[in-house]
Amino acid sequence: MRWPSRMMAAAVLSGVPSTVHALLTGHDPLAATRAAATLIPGLPLRAHDPSHREFARGNPLISRYQEGLTVLGGVAVHLVVSAFWAAVIEAVDSRAKAGGSKLMRGAVAGLLIAALDLEIIGRRHPAVRALPRLPQWLDHVTFGVLVTALARPDGPASTALSIRPPSAVGRG
């Protein structure tokens, strides 16, 4: 599986813990996606805030449009952040000389990312801060495990990310 496919699989499947939690508890399964949209600086995305109802009083088409922008923005943020962290995890893991299970290293990476994303960066964003903590931490651990589980055994990157010297074949 090539790197973009591995990253997309990890990005999508890592949301299973929080999605299942939301469905079982009757909460919005897209809340984390909407919260991610709040990380985009300068965009007036307010659909993520359950206490903010001013856009809903107007035209319902505008309300749906605003909601759609929020979800699309959240998906974009999630994919960019996932691509960044997947590249970091694979680069660090490929150079790891330490023993231990590859999956355990992925879980630890997920925990470290969760601490940064949720507790340091996320605490400044009310929509992120409002998300249930444990399911979000489980999402991050799942992401780290999936990135390492799906990584190529011979190295971190597919040819799409590798910088290789030009081949000597065909040179005269």
Side-chain angles (χ1 to χ4, degrees), residues 88-163:
V88 169
I89 290 171
E90 286 194 11
V92 170
D93 194 54
S94 71
R95 290 165 180 79
K97 302 291 185 202
S101 162
K102 187 175 193 171
L103 299 181
M104 185 59 73
R105 289 193 307 265
V108 169
L111 287 170
L112 292 172
I113 294 167
L116 178 64
D117 284 357
L118 300 171
E119 305 306 329
I120 295 173
I121 296 170
R123 94 170 84 167
R124 288 181 265 168
H125 298 273
V128 175
R129 201 171 49 238
L131 295 170
R133 306 318 290 157
L134 181 60
Q136 292 303 311
W137 277 77
L138 291 175
D139 283 356
H140 282 73
V141 171
T142 302
F143 177 77
V145 168
L146 287 171
V147 168
T148 56
L150 298 173
R152 291 179 39 179
D154 60 339
S158 69
T159 56
L161 291 179
S162 295
I163 300 173

Side-chain angles (χ1 to χ4, degrees), residues 24-119:
L24 290 176
T25 59
H27 291 96
D28 180 10
L30 292 176
T33 304
R34 289 187 190 91
T38 67
L39 301 175
I40 301 172
L43 287 183
L45 301 174
R46 298 190 152 244
H48 65 276
D49 184 355
S51 67
H52 186 77
R53 302 284 182 225
E54 96 181 22
F55 74 92
R57 288 189 293 243
N59 185 333
L61 291 177
I62 293 173
S63 172
R64 287 191 187 119
Y65 176 74
Q66 176 79 26
E67 180 70 15
L69 284 180
T70 303
V71 171
L72 286 175
V75 168
V77 167
H78 182 64
L79 290 178
V80 168
V81 170
S82 294
F84 171 77
W85 284 123
V88 169
I89 290 171
E90 286 194 11
V92 170
D93 194 54
S94 71
R95 290 165 180 79
K97 302 291 185 202
S101 162
K102 187 175 193 171
L103 299 181
M104 185 59 73
R105 289 193 307 265
V108 169
L111 287 170
L112 292 172
I113 294 167
L116 178 64
D117 284 357
L118 300 171
E119 305 306 329

